[in-house]
Amino acid sequence: MYRQMQTLGTNMLLKAAALALVAILGFPAAAQSSEPAPVAPQQSQPAPPPPPADTAPANQTPPPADQSAPDDASIPKIRTSTNEVNVVFVVTDKRGKRITDLKQADFKVVDDNKPPDEIRSFHAEANLPLQVGLLIDASNSVRDRFKFEQESAIEFLNQTVRLRYDRAFVVGFDATPEVTQDFTDNAEQLAHGVHELRPGGGTALYDAIYFACRDKLLKAPKSVDVRRAIILLSDGEDNLSHVTREEAIEMAQRAEAIIYTISTNVSGTKGAGDKVLERIADATGGRAFFPFQIRDVVSAFAEIQEELRSQYAVSYKPADFKADGHYRTIEIVANDRKNFRVRARRGYYAPAQ
């Protein structure tokens, strides 16, 4: 009992000393209850003002800028780097037979009336992957042999498009272009897309070319080692397009697409539409076919298939190049002009900064 009273007295002395110390230092006295003191409800404080727009809080990394580019409906630019141009071309002899064993020294390249600063690569190509657009005129003017041309086109795609290597799409057009089969390497799907076409309506030929190049080829992934081509079946007549022939050709040049044309004219003589087809093919480095007999349609497709597998490719650095969006001419000629003919696109549009 004595020890308990002694301990109680000691505790009372300690508490008294603590209260005296608090009073001396000026701190408010805490409740002497053994229960924890109730916590006062917190009042919401106003948020601090945001930092100025041109500054960031200390030790804080600003959020990354939005990397997504807006959908630009403007005309796309050429798909080459600012200091390199790639051209695919075909060489034939005077009789039109393809020549496939020439060397770089057998040619001269002229870009915008000047020789290039450097030829970076030159080689014969027989096995490049293909991106092919099949454009079939489905207007009333091609009714007579429409089904035969459908079957010939399907056979061409079967023979040309290799599984997991090449890709093709099908567009039918009358008053407007319509994709009946998007890019695929599946022969059955491509055949179905061709069979979906039905003749009827007016003809918007230039719109179809423009659409196929801008909305299909230019938006497709492309490496340097891809060959782009459009196979166009039409009579060359146009009565509904919103773009001109030259605008359609320009878009094909921007897409770096070679256009092969197969006339559906059965009159036996070349008409105004056939001259249009020649102009389109010539400007893009392609070739115009005029199979006046129906059996010749198959031969035209076979010629195109062989040509796509027997071309040359040159890559060069232009002299005095300016990224100003202007059109620059291309001329590739064989040193032996007497015996060899070169077919290549006539020019390209430089990118604009």
Side-chain angles (χ1 to χ4, degrees):
M1 176 66 70
Y2 173 77
R3 186 177 299 276
Q4 290 178 350
M5 291 180 63
Q6 186 178 29
T7 301
L8 179 62
T10 302
N11 289 340
M12 291 179 64
L13 288 174
L14 289 173
K15 286 185 178 181
L19 289 174
L21 180 61
V22 167
I24 294 172
L25 295 177
F27 294 135
Q32 297 185 18
S33 170
S34 61
E35 297 295 327
V39 179
Q42 294 183 350
Q43 297 183 357
S44 60
Q45 298 296 325
D54 58 346
T55 61
N59 300 324
Q60 180 175 334
T61 304
D66 185 8
Q67 300 296 325
S68 60
D71 183 16
D72 188 0
S74 62
I75 294 177
K77 307 300 186 295
I78 190 172
R79 294 205 171 190
T80 57
S81 64
T82 57
N83 63 349
E84 183 173 318
V85 176
N86 302 285
V87 184
V88 173
F89 61 95
V90 174
V91 182
T92 62
D93 62 15
K94 291 184 293 185
R95 296 179 178 83
K97 180 182 178 181
R98 282 180 296 280
I99 307 299
T100 60
D101 58 353
L102 299 179
K103 308 300 181 184
Q104 178 180 328
D106 296 319
F107 300 95
K108 180 175 68 174
V109 179
V110 179
D111 183 292
D112 217 26
N113 299 316
K114 299 180 182 67
D117 281 346
E118 176 189 358
I119 300 293
R120 293 186 169 174
S121 67
F122 177 92
H123 44 274
E125 287 290 359
N127 204 34
L128 283 180
L130 299 176
Q131 291 179 349
V132 177
L134 180 64
L135 273 62
I136 299 181
D137 189 338
S139 64
N140 275 320
S141 60
V142 299
R143 265 183 199 278
D144 293 342
R145 57 185 191 182
F146 186 75
K147 185 170 181 58
F148 181 82
E149 287 167 350
Q150 280 182 303
E151 296 305 320
S152 300
I154 290 171
E155 182 62 22
F156 165 78
L157 293 171
N158 285 338
Q159 295 293 327
T160 304
V161 178
R162 297 162 294 181
L163 193 65
R164 294 185 295 276
Y165 200 69
D166 305 312
R167 300 173 72 220
F169 64 94
V170 179
V171 171
F173 64 93
D174 44 26
T176 57
E178 177 188 3
V179 178
T180 56
Q181 177 55 56
D182 210 339
F183 271 115
T184 184
D185 61 357
N186 186 300
E188 291 184 4
Q189 293 178 1
L190 290 168
H192 179 74
V194 175
H195 281 142
E196 285 290 301
L197 301 173
R198 298 289 183 273
T203 309
L205 168 63
Y206 308 144
D207 284 356
I209 296 172
Y210 194 94
F211 166 80
C213 293
R214 184 192 65 179
D215 295 289
K216 303 308 298 177
L217 291 177
L218 269 172
K219 292 183 178 179
K222 178 183 182 294
S223 67
V224 173
D225 297 327
V226 170
R227 186 164 302 162
R228 288 174 166 172
I230 286 179
I231 318 302
L232 171 65
L233 279 81
S234 176
D235 58 7
E237 297 178 4
D238 188 300
N239 53 28
L240 287 175
S241 283
H242 296 85
V243 302
T244 67
R245 180 189 67 186
E246 296 308 307
E247 287 173 331
I249 290 173
E250 175 184 332
M251 188 54 64
Q253 291 170 333
R254 291 184 184 277
E256 300 178 40
I258 300 172
I259 300 181
Y260 295 93
T261 62
I262 300 177
S263 175
T264 59
N265 175 15
V266 294
S267 68
T269 58
K270 289 184 181 180
D274 293 323
K275 294 180 180 179
V276 169
L277 297 178
E278 283 184 314
R279 164 64 183 154
I280 292 170
D282 184 62
T284 60
R287 182 178 171 189
F289 294 85
F290 303 98
F292 294 127
Q293 301 296 321
I294 194 169
R295 62 179 178 270
D296 295 333
V297 175
V298 176
S299 298
F301 275 114
E303 284 282 312
I304 294 171
Q305 181 189 354
E306 291 179 12
E307 186 162 301
L308 287 172
R309 304 296 183 195
S310 55
Q311 297 175 323
Y312 295 91
V314 62
S315 173
Y316 64 87
K317 178 182 178 182
D320 301 328
F321 187 87
K322 295 179 181 178
D324 53 11
H326 287 175
Y327 181 79
R328 296 172 67 96
T329 59
I330 297 174
E331 185 181 12
I332 301 176
V333 295
N335 295 335
D336 185 358
R337 297 192 186 196
K338 182 178 179 180
N339 293 308
F340 298 129
R341 305 287 184 269
V342 176
R343 276 193 286 110
R345 58 191 171 107
R346 296 296 186 87
Y348 65 98
Y349 287 84
Q353 289 183 342

